[in-house]
Amino acid sequence: MAGDLEIRLLRRFVAVAEELHFGRAADRLFIAQQALSRDVRRLEDAAGVRLLDRSSRRVALTPEGRRLLDRARELIALHDRAVRDLRADTGSLVVDAVAPGTTPARVLDAARRAAPDIEFIVRYGGGSADTVVGADVGFGATPQGASAPRRQAVCHERIIVLLPEDHELTALDAVPLEALRTAQVCTRSGDHVTPAWARAMGQLLAPFGVDPTDGHPHVLGGAELGAHLRLHGAPGLALESQPPVEGLVMRPLVEPVALFPWTMRWRADLDHPGLDVLRRCARALSEAQGWTTVPDGALLLSS
């Protein structure tokens, strides 16, 4: 081969190979489509072969691309295993809690209180919530693929609507989903946004003819979330645990009540006392708060 194959570029190739669509793969990775296309070409240059056939209508793997795909997955898994093994002697447990203030972060806080002698290292990865990559434990919706890690249901969290203070829908005590059909609703802003969230929002909005990616970038941080929605005068969808945002008001989403299924996931080979603490705390919070109750008529989303 002409050069070394970077793990970062291999991850991006795998995303395109699995989606067979640069736009969807870019959304999944939360990067610009141009940057993704550029990185795939860099990988092709390093490999010295063409990996994808591209046209205006379709993306397909070349024979070389099909051969590389399985090897790329193996290399990525081996790389991540090596990183975990290098950390093994520290006794710490790395937890991707998505973002501060989220339900996963509440579970982690409870675990730290319950076991102050265990070092939980928090990561706010967000976009890595589909798989446990570079972390011991992660949170998201149902894992994808046959190699999905072990998992435990944690919470079916209600979805709410964030509205600029002067938006006409603030006159309602609760916002029916139908009211968002022509409202240019944003689902891509906020620290809770992950690939699993994006897929769940597609599932929620597709029957109403709403494109959740239309006209909205991926925005991180509460202040930026508020600035984006106020500038566009648009409603946004978020989770009930969303911290207050200046200039925005919250309303419950109804007709239907929609629930996002938080799931805790961990590696199948993980044996750590911190995992036991996390599982106990998640179970205790779930039972005390009724987190996994599904009200009559509610829509439980999936990824």
Side-chain angles (χ1 to χ4, degrees):
M1 288 190 177
D4 294 336
L5 304 183
E6 298 179 33
I7 291 294
R8 180 179 67 87
L9 300 183
L10 288 173
R11 290 191 199 279
R12 296 190 173 185
F13 163 71
V14 168
V16 177
E18 291 178 346
E19 298 290 345
L20 292 179
H21 190 283
F22 274 87
R24 289 194 298 270
D27 285 341
R28 167 173 157 181
L29 296 167
F30 291 110
I31 63 173
Q33 186 171 331
Q34 288 181 333
L36 178 58
S37 180
R38 182 173 61 246
D39 281 348
V40 170
R41 290 191 184 280
R42 285 182 58 197
L43 180 63
E44 290 177 321
D45 290 342
V49 295
R50 188 161 49 86
L51 302 172
L52 297 168
D53 283 327
R54 308 162 176 83
S55 72
S56 59
R57 295 185 177 179
R58 63 190 292 269
V59 175
L61 287 165
T62 65
E64 294 79 8
R66 287 194 293 272
R67 286 200 299 271
L68 178 61
L69 180 57
D70 286 342
R71 295 297 185 219
R73 288 171 171 150
E74 293 173 2
L75 286 168
I76 291 168
L78 183 61
H79 170 274
D80 293 342
R81 178 68 177 268
V83 171
R84 292 194 298 266
D85 288 347
L86 286 171
R87 277 201 317 263
D89 292 338
T90 68
S92 60
L93 189 73
V94 180
V95 181
D96 188 335
V98 182
T102 59
T103 293
R106 290 180 62 185
V107 173
L108 178 60
D109 288 344
R112 283 174 161 168
R113 291 192 297 269
D117 294 335
I118 296 177
E119 183 178 22
F120 296 95
I121 299 176
V122 65
R123 166 185 289 177
Y124 295 128
S128 66
D130 283 325
T131 52
V132 183
V133 176
D136 299 306
V137 181
F139 290 82
T142 305
Q144 304 295 309
S147 61
R150 299 182 186 275
R151 54 192 178 269
Q152 174 179 321
V154 174
C155 178
H156 299 154
E157 185 169 355
R158 187 164 181 169
I159 294 170
I160 55 107
V161 184
L162 296 172
L163 298 163
E165 291 176 336
D166 58 353
H167 197 281
E168 60 182 7
L169 291 178
T170 58
L172 302 176
D173 293 329
V175 178
L177 184 59
E178 176 67 29
L180 301 178
R181 183 188 291 271
T182 59
Q184 296 183 324
V185 62
C186 174
T187 66
R188 292 168 55 81
S189 295
D191 291 338
H192 59 284
V193 175
T194 66
W197 166 266
R199 288 192 293 271
M201 293 302 95
Q203 177 190 354
L204 174 65
L205 297 172
F208 292 82
V210 177
D211 182 353
T213 68
D214 189 25
H216 294 286
H218 180 220
V219 174
L220 290 174
E224 294 302 311
L225 165 63
H228 175 71
L229 295 185
R230 292 194 301 271
L231 176 65
H232 290 269
L237 294 182
L239 292 161
E240 196 170 28
S241 58
Q242 168 68 45
V245 180
E246 183 178 358
L248 301 182
V249 299
M250 298 182 183
R251 294 287 186 268
L253 180 71
V254 294
E255 300 177 22
V257 170
L259 306 173
F260 181 80
W262 283 117
T263 302
M264 182 169 67
R265 299 155 351 272
W266 58 93
R267 303 191 329 267
D269 62 347
L270 181 61
D271 181 15
H272 193 288
L275 173 61
D276 297 333
V277 176
L278 280 168
R279 295 191 67 189
R280 287 199 305 270
C281 289
R283 190 177 299 112
L285 284 168
S286 180
E287 292 174 356
Q289 304 292 331
W291 275 357
T292 56
T293 300
V294 180
D296 290 342
L299 173 64
L300 180 60
L301 300 169
S302 67
S303 66

